[in-house]
């Protein structure tokens, strides 16, 4: 079981519930160590005194704020903790808002929030049900690992969900990042209608299980192949699509391709033999690409049969 990354109290008015914070997202990124090419020697990052070249222990490092001209103000970790003792152990809900009022731009990380003790399960459950019934999120601030966070607390499946949010000051406007914004010509009515038709044709229920980290899977296959001493072959580049100058024509082709299931006769023969070796998830993805109707309720065998018939 995972360990909590924070423990303290959730406070709403005069109701206070001891809680623990758990990360709700796992990092599946494949991490590598560094080696010097041609050797078995690890390359490590070290904290080094730039004047003496000596390595410095982590507990001997303090923070320094640069004033300019090479001058710094040094601050001890304990001093930072002392200026926010309460907030570092409390999550105070300051107000409630409609969840859909929070633009996705603001969302950062997701955590589970559970009562720290069974004695407080009743108060916790009451707040959870109130949030669930109202479909509102509580807005709060708290300190985690020396940094203050804005957070939205909402009802999840049997537990509360805490999403850390970016402060407005953290968000960068497009013009601040890109400078000159693109000049967008007004589309012709028939182009807009065709674009809307394409959006409608591609609209489907949100099924997060349909998506996976395919790049990490390819990295894992690369590692297994190298471990087994197999020759590494590059995947063929996809055929470049023909340039279409007319935007309406391009949209029309896209809509027709979606309606026909995106079938390409010359590639169909390649796909059929490999269907039996594909996972249900891969079959479902292929069925979605080919516009197979009712795929979400099909078994693996039914998906394979529908794809062969398409």
């Amino acid at each position: 079981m995972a360990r909590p990354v924070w423990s303290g109290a959730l406070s709403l008015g005069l109701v206070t519930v001891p809680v623990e914070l758990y990360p709700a997202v796992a990092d599946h990124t494949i991490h590598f160590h560094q080696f010097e090419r041609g050797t078995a020697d690890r390359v490590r990052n070290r904290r080094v005194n730039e004047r003496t070249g000596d390595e410095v222990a982590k507990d001997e490092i303090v923070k320094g704020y640069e004033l300019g001209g090479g001058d710094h103000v040094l601050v001890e970790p304990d001093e930072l903790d002392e200026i926010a003792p309460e907030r570092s152990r409390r999550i105070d809900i300051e107000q409630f808002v409609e969840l859909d009022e929070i633009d996705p731009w603001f969302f950062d990380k997701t955590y589970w929030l559970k009562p720290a003790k069974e004695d407080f399960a009743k108060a916790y459950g009451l707040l959870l049900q109130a949030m669930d019934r109202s479909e509102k999120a509580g807005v709060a601030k708290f300190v985690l690992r020396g940094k203050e966070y804005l957070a939205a607390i909402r009802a999840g499946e049997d537990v509360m969900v805490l999403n850390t949010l970016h402060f407005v000051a953290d968000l960068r406007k497009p013009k601040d990042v890109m400078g000159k914004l693109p000049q967008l010509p007004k589309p012709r009515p028939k182009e807009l209608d065709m674009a809307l038709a394409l959006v409608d044709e591609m609209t489907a229920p949100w099924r997060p299980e349909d998506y996976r980290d395919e790049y990490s899977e390819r990295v894992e296959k690369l590692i297994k192949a190298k471990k087994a001493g197999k020759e590494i072959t590059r995947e063929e580049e996809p055929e470049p699509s023909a340039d279409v100058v007319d935007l309406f024509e391009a949209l029309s082709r896209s809509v027709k391709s979606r309606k026909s299931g995106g079938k390409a006769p010359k590639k169909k023969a390649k796909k059929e033999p490999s269907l039996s070796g594909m996972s249900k998830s891969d079959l479902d993805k292929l069925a979605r690409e080919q516009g197979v109707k009712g795929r979400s309720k099909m078994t693996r065998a039914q998906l394979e049969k529908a794809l062969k018939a398409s």
Side-chain angles (χ1 to χ4, degrees), residues 273-294:
S274 62
L275 292 179
S276 60
M278 294 174 67
S279 65
K280 185 177 184 297
S281 177
D282 288 335
L283 288 171
D284 194 65
K285 181 179 179 181
L286 186 57
R288 185 175 69 253
E289 292 173 350
Q290 297 193 13
V292 175
K293 302 298 183 182

Side-chain angles (χ1 to χ4, degrees), residues 76-127:
E76 294 283 348
D78 292 345
E79 293 176 314
L80 293 173
D81 293 337
E82 287 173 2
I83 62 175
E86 273 301 310
R87 184 153 281 168
S88 65
R89 285 290 173 261
R90 290 175 67 94
I91 301 174
D92 293 310
I93 296 178
E94 299 180 2
Q95 71 173 96
F96 284 90
V97 300
E98 297 287 347
L99 191 58
D100 59 8
E101 288 184 8
I102 306 176
D103 192 292
W105 191 19
F106 285 87
F107 285 93
D108 186 16
K109 294 183 179 180
T110 306
Y111 296 90
W112 301 123
L113 199 62
K114 77 162 212 177
K117 299 178 180 178
E118 290 296 328
D119 297 347
F120 293 91
K122 183 176 181 180
Y124 176 92
L126 177 63
L127 296 179

Side-chain angles (χ1 to χ4, degrees), residues 6 9-12 87 90-97 102 113 131 137-143 148-154 161-167:
W6 182 94
L10 175 66
S11 176
L12 174 59
R87 184 153 281 168
R90 290 175 67 94
I91 301 174
D92 293 310
I93 296 178
E94 299 180 2
Q95 71 173 96
F96 284 90
V97 300
I102 306 176
L113 199 62
M131 291 180 185
V139 179
K141 287 197 292 185
F142 75 111
V143 173
E148 186 171 53
Y149 288 90
L150 183 65
I153 302 166
R154 56 189 174 87
V161 180
L162 183 148
N163 289 101
T164 54
L165 306 174
H166 297 292
F167 288 100

Side-chain angles (χ1 to χ4, degrees), residues 162-180:
L162 183 148
N163 289 101
T164 54
L165 306 174
H166 297 292
F167 288 100
V168 171
D170 298 331
L171 303 178
R172 305 173 70 185
K173 299 290 185 181
K175 64 180 180 180
D176 296 334
V177 179
M178 298 182 288
K180 184 180 179 182

Side-chain angles (χ1 to χ4, degrees), residues 243-259:
D243 291 333
V244 181
V245 177
D246 188 277
L247 181 58
F248 181 78
E249 182 184 351
L251 290 168
S252 298
R253 288 185 183 182
S254 299
V255 172
K256 290 178 182 178
S257 175
R258 294 294 302 185
K259 288 184 176 179

Side-chain angles (χ1 to χ4, degrees), residues 260-269 271 290:
S260 65
K263 292 179 286 186
K266 64 180 181 179
K267 293 183 179 180
K268 186 176 180 181
K271 292 179 180 178
Q290 297 193 13

